[in-house]
Amino acid sequence: MGILEVKGVNKRFGGLQALGDVNLSVAENSVHAIIGPNGAGKSTLLNCLVGKLIPDTGSVMFEGQSVLGRSPHEINQMGISRVFQTPEIFTDLSVLENMMIPCFAKRDGAFRMHAIESVAAEKEIIDKAMHMLDDVNMADKKDMHAGAMSRGDKRRLEIAMCLAQEPRLLLLDEPTAGMARADTNNTIDLLKRIKDERDITIAIIEHDMHVVFSLAERITVLAQGSPLVEDTPENIKGHPKVREAYLGETAVAA
Amino acid sequence: MLGLDKKDTSLLLLVVVLTMAAPFLLNPFPEGSGMAQFNAGYPDLMQRFVIFGIFAIGFNILFGLTGYLSFGHAAFLGVGSYAAMWMFKLFGMNVLPALFLAVVLSGLFAMLIGYISLRRSGIYFSILTLAFAMMSYALAYSVLATDMDGPDQQGLLQKGLTGGETGLQLTLTDPRIFGEASTEDGNIPVPNLFGIEMRAATDLEIGNWVFTFSAGYYFAAVVMLISFYLSIRIFRSPFGMMLRAIKSNQQRLNYTGLNPKPYMLAAFVISGMYAGLAGGLMAAMDPLAGPERMFWTASGEVVLMTILGGVGTLIGPVLGAGAIKYMENILSKINSDILHSWFAFLPDGLEDFVVALIYPFIGKGWHLTLGIIFMLVVIFLPGGLVEGGQRIKRLFGRGKSAEDANKPGKATTPAE
Ligand SMILES: Nc1ncnc2c1ncn2[C@@H]1O[C@H](COP(=O)(O)OP(=O)(O)O)[C@@H](O)[C@H]1O
Ligand SMILES: [Mg+2]
């Protein structure tokens, strides 16, 4: 049984069947990619996993526990972290403060009233945050305004923030969308390193085939809200149904 | 010192020195001189400076840190005043228990209103808080002001809990079980701190200058300094950082395993308690509480104070409160006779012209001046008076400015 088990998930938006009977099993410590054309329902599926949306029917189990009906912060505390399509960071805070918040969340849980203590005295949290920043080569940017950084840096920071919580499942929604080639390659390298260094499962939605084929061990192809096929990257590349439904000309380029 | 870093400590010390020396600093003009009407160093006004300072400091903890704009904070001011009055009526004239009850009751009230209002954000949150405050006003004005101890009784609740339009007042028949119902000469006793009467004051005459030292002012000032110190601690705490994170990106906070709701509610309750403390102090300085303290204009005033001084800065709200109260009390007292005497040196026609030009902006027209200043500040100094001060400082010390510019924005390091 996988770390994440999705069974019979349906989701309708009015008349539109965004997800139709989705079954998905993500094996522990693997990198699982979900690909599919625009509007296939990839983001909708991801939103159902993190508590942003509730499926109409079906079940979503993480490590044997249902996530349905829990709020996003509870699901996060279970061990699922999420990276967004456009980087979601605290743009008005400094880079170091951005990094400290997930460290607090990991140590203190969803809420702790610490209104009189001083942030500057939280040595343990600051050290951990600096260590994480160092790990993604951002230690020199610690006092920078996070909102003023390049998109690639914001992405790196967001991923590092997720990792600071030591999640067991990391979900990424098109992490390289709208990125320059160099930034994309940096992100691939970072994700590869994360996968090698940590006991972590990664589920990634991606449009860029270069990214998918350099990272994924399993690929699920989603079309019109339903899984079309699930297989290894090699087999997906040559799969006629996939070529027809999704890859089209891009398959030649890839 | 006191758990603050060097910069915050010097800010706190500066504020301590300024408030303690206020009776001198606010009375720069000798008695009887033409400029004496600009003196603000009389107890009544100085008390208002620090009390509204407390109100605005607390409001800024909610609005400045989380960005949630409450338009009903005057409700807590009113609750604080009524609570303090009842303490005076039932138990005695010591101000400490009165302030204690004011803070506790307004905190509970804020918990109720905050719990409901925080289900929405943005404009809907503001409207909900406004609606609650206006309901509180209506309650205080009429519903809670009905005769509650029977038609033929003349007891404590003769005019209900709030006293209605005329407000809640002390009477000679109040029980005051731990104090005296009336003084030896048959008067209503005065709010005091272990015997030191709040209205007690001594004058110091130096040459043509008269400086007034009021017990009430110094008591309120010390309460304000404690409130200010606590707000610095809150700003620099992990809790304060979470509140800024809520303002910056609530979605990310949710997906970082943190629950924004209790953080928001705690901020709301804390700022409500600050408002209640301010309301209690008002009653301690002048034992009277009326429903107009809860009116929406009072809620709007604290918004203006905070924005004028500098949202999200430590000292801004205090400056804003001072600026508005100064204008309200000083500008409004200038009349056309005074203007004529100032411009008497001009040729007659020109004098009348200049006076006619300025006249709409003084006296009752002080709101017009406030409006114009507010507009200018919002357009040219979005960071409020604090930003103005920083710009002036930068003009004089160019070397330091380059260093400051590289620092993260003011949201990250709330400036003094
Ligand atoms: N909140 C929503 N309300 C209505 N329709 C939605 C909503 N979210 C997504 N959809 C629709 O569901 C379909 C799947 O969308 P999405 O999951 O974003 O696709 P993908 O991420 O694969 O490009 C699209 O047709 C989209 O318009
Ligand atoms: Mg999408």
Side-chain angles (χ1 to χ4, degrees):
Chain A
M1 212 178 77
I3 189 168
L4 181 74
E5 293 282 341
V6 177
K7 289 217 175 77
V9 162
N10 282 281
K11 181 74 197 175
R12 294 189 82 91
F13 293 116
L16 177 85
Q17 179 92 31
L19 293 177
D21 197 29
V22 175
N23 293 296
L24 178 74
S25 173
V26 177
E28 194 160 359
N29 292 337
S30 70
V31 178
H32 197 124
I34 298 161
I35 63 172
N38 256 328
K42 304 180 298 291
S43 296
T44 305
L45 175 60
L46 205 123
N47 286 335
C48 287
L49 306 182
V50 295
K52 192 167 188 182
L53 290 175
I54 299 175
D56 301 332
T57 59
S59 72
V60 178
M61 308 288 277
F62 173 69
E63 295 182 330
Q65 280 186 300
S66 175
V67 305
L68 299 186
R70 294 179 200 247
S71 53
H73 69 88
E74 288 170 328
I75 294 175
N76 177 282
Q77 291 280 358
M78 289 169 76
I80 303 181
S81 279
R82 168 181 188 176
V83 172
F84 285 80
Q85 204 159 336
T86 40
E88 294 278 357
I89 56 173
F90 303 110
T91 46
D92 303 322
L93 272 57
S94 76
V95 171
L96 178 61
E97 285 175 320
N98 265 272
M99 209 59 232
M100 287 170 76
I101 286 175
C103 297
F104 276 118
K106 175 76 185 163
R107 191 190 72 184
D108 299 339
F111 174 69
R112 195 182 128 194
M113 190 73 198
H114 31 29
I116 294 299
E117 298 95 322
S118 157
V119 170
E122 297 276 3
K123 288 274 174 294
E124 170 199 15
I125 297 281
I126 294 174
D127 287 350
K128 182 172 173 194
M130 279 313 294
H131 177 77
M132 291 303 304
L133 284 179
D134 221 16
D135 197 49
V136 290
N137 287 324
M138 295 183 86
D140 54 329
K141 295 195 169 75
K142 74 179 171 74
D143 289 327
M144 221 175 134
H145 201 87
M149 296 194 303
S150 74
R151 190 173 177 129
D153 281 347
K154 284 182 187 161
R155 171 62 75 214
R156 256 194 306 160
L157 176 62
E158 191 189 21
I159 293 175
M161 284 164 69
C162 287
L163 291 178
Q165 294 187 279
E166 298 157 37
R168 291 181 300 288
L169 175 62
L170 180 64
L171 302 173
L172 301 108
D173 190 354
E174 304 202 31
T176 64
M179 258 190 201
R181 194 84 250 176
D183 280 335
T184 301
N185 286 335
N186 282 336
T187 308
I188 294 176
D189 291 343
L190 175 61
L191 290 173
K192 273 187 178 156
R193 192 158 61 78
I194 292 168
K195 168 183 129 184
D196 292 341
E197 287 174 2
R198 290 166 182 265
D199 285 336
I200 193 169
T201 312
I202 298 177
I204 180 170
I205 291 176
E206 190 48 80
H207 227 79
D208 187 329
M209 286 306 118
H210 170 59
V211 179
V212 172
F213 289 119
S214 34
L215 283 171
E217 291 151 7
R218 295 292 289 180
I219 297 177
T220 298
V221 182
L222 209 61
Q224 285 160 14
S226 301
L228 201 61
V229 39
E230 190 198 309
D231 216 326
T232 59
E234 295 72 40
N235 294 343
I236 290 285
K237 256 185 216 174
H239 204 292
K241 246 167 117 186
V242 177
R243 295 181 89 100
E244 181 199 313
Y246 174 49
L247 296 176
E249 310 98 274
T250 52
V252 185
Chain B
M1 196 182 82
L2 292 168
L4 302 183
D5 67 16
K6 238 173 92 186
K7 216 172 128 222
D8 293 338
T9 308
S10 36
L11 175 67
L12 180 64
L13 287 179
L14 180 71
V15 176
V16 170
V17 170
L18 291 181
T19 42
M20 288 301 126
F24 294 108
L25 299 174
L26 294 175
N27 256 6
F29 308 112
E31 207 67 6
S33 74
M35 299 298 279
Q37 60 204 308
F38 288 105
N39 282 343
Y42 54 97
D44 185 44
L45 182 53
M46 288 195 300
Q47 285 161 8
R48 245 172 275 173
F49 284 157
V50 291
I51 291 173
F52 280 91
I54 294 172
F55 190 19
I57 290 170
F59 186 76
N60 190 43
I61 291 175
L62 180 70
F63 181 43
L65 290 178
T66 71
Y68 276 60
L69 176 57
S70 161
F71 224 87
H73 255 50
F76 310 122
L77 196 74
V79 168
S81 285
Y82 286 121
M85 286 302 293
W86 275 108
M87 217 58 179
F88 291 146
K89 284 166 92 68
L90 295 177
F91 298 107
M93 299 306 290
N94 193 322
V95 291
L96 288 186
L99 291 184
F100 178 77
L101 187 71
V103 170
V104 169
L105 269 192
S106 54
L108 289 175
F109 195 54
M111 196 170 288
L112 176 74
I113 293 186
Y115 184 78
I116 299 169
S117 304
L118 286 167
R119 298 176 155 260
R120 290 283 172 270
S121 59
I123 187 80
Y124 298 100
F125 168 79
S126 305
I127 297 293
L128 280 172
T129 51
L130 174 63
F132 273 115
M134 286 315 281
M135 285 194 283
S136 311
Y137 170 77
L139 279 175
Y141 193 88
S142 55
V143 181
L144 294 177
T146 49
D147 188 347
M148 290 181 185
D149 55 2
D152 41 344
Q153 301 251 328
Q154 298 287 315
L156 256 186
L157 292 173
Q158 162 76 1
K159 293 182 81 188
L161 280 172
T162 59
E165 190 181 355
T166 48
L168 194 61
Q169 291 163 348
L170 301 178
T171 66
L172 286 168
T173 52
D174 293 333
R176 273 185 280 284
I177 51 179
F178 296 125
E180 38 177 20
S182 66
T183 57
E184 274 156 26
D185 42 9
N187 289 324
I188 296 173
V190 185
N192 63 69
L193 177 72
F194 304 112
I196 306 170
E197 291 189 355
M198 286 299 122
R199 66 171 183 201
T202 44
D203 281 350
L204 172 70
E205 281 184 48
I206 303 178
N208 285 328
W209 281 267
V210 180
F211 304 107
T212 310
F213 300 91
S214 129
Y217 167 72
Y218 277 100
F219 175 70
V222 168
V223 175
M224 191 274 264
L225 289 173
I226 297 170
S227 310
F228 182 60
Y229 168 70
L230 285 177
S231 101
I232 301 181
R233 291 296 294 254
I234 290 173
F235 266 64
R236 303 297 185 225
S237 72
F239 173 71
M241 195 163 91
M242 298 305 173
L243 297 183
R244 283 187 292 127
I246 286 174
K247 182 178 185 176
S248 183
N249 190 342
Q250 210 173 125
Q251 163 136 302
R252 178 33 87 198
L253 201 73
N254 258 316
Y255 290 95
T256 306
L258 291 157
N259 189 357
K261 285 262 159 60
Y263 283 102
M264 294 292 316
L265 186 59
F268 194 89
V269 170
I270 291 173
S271 76
M273 288 161 82
Y274 269 78
L277 178 64
L281 273 174
M282 281 180 187
M285 297 302 128
D286 181 11
L288 178 81
E292 74 289 341
R293 229 160 252 184
M294 293 179 156
F295 202 60
W296 69 268
T297 47
S299 295
E301 196 177 47
V302 74
V303 180
L304 293 189
M305 288 170 176
T306 310
I307 294 177
L308 185 66
V311 182
T313 63
L314 289 171
I315 192 69
V318 185
L319 295 180
I324 288 182
K325 285 294 148 190
Y326 184 82
M327 281 196 278
E328 180 187 85
N329 288 277
I330 303 294
L331 274 187
S332 64
K333 268 193 292 186
I334 302 172
N335 55 30
S336 70
D337 289 348
I338 296 174
L339 280 186
H340 277 289
S341 72
W342 286 351
F343 294 105
F345 64 92
L346 293 172
D348 269 356
L350 194 58
E351 177 188 329
D352 289 345
F353 177 71
V354 170
V355 169
L357 212 59
I358 299 179
Y359 186 68
F361 297 97
I362 54 154
K364 286 208 170 69
W366 77 272
H367 279 114
L368 209 56
T369 315
L370 175 63
I372 291 172
I373 293 179
F374 188 74
M375 263 168 19
L376 292 176
V377 165
V378 169
I379 294 170
F380 296 107
L381 288 176
L385 298 176
V386 167
E387 188 185 336
Q390 283 168 340
R391 285 201 195 167
I392 293 170
K393 216 163 111 187
R394 223 168 290 161
L395 276 182
F396 288 104
R398 290 210 168 271
K400 252 190 102 187
S401 66
E403 206 180 292
D404 286 346
N406 288 331
K407 287 245 182 82
K410 60 178 182 307
T412 315
T413 32
E416 62 271 30

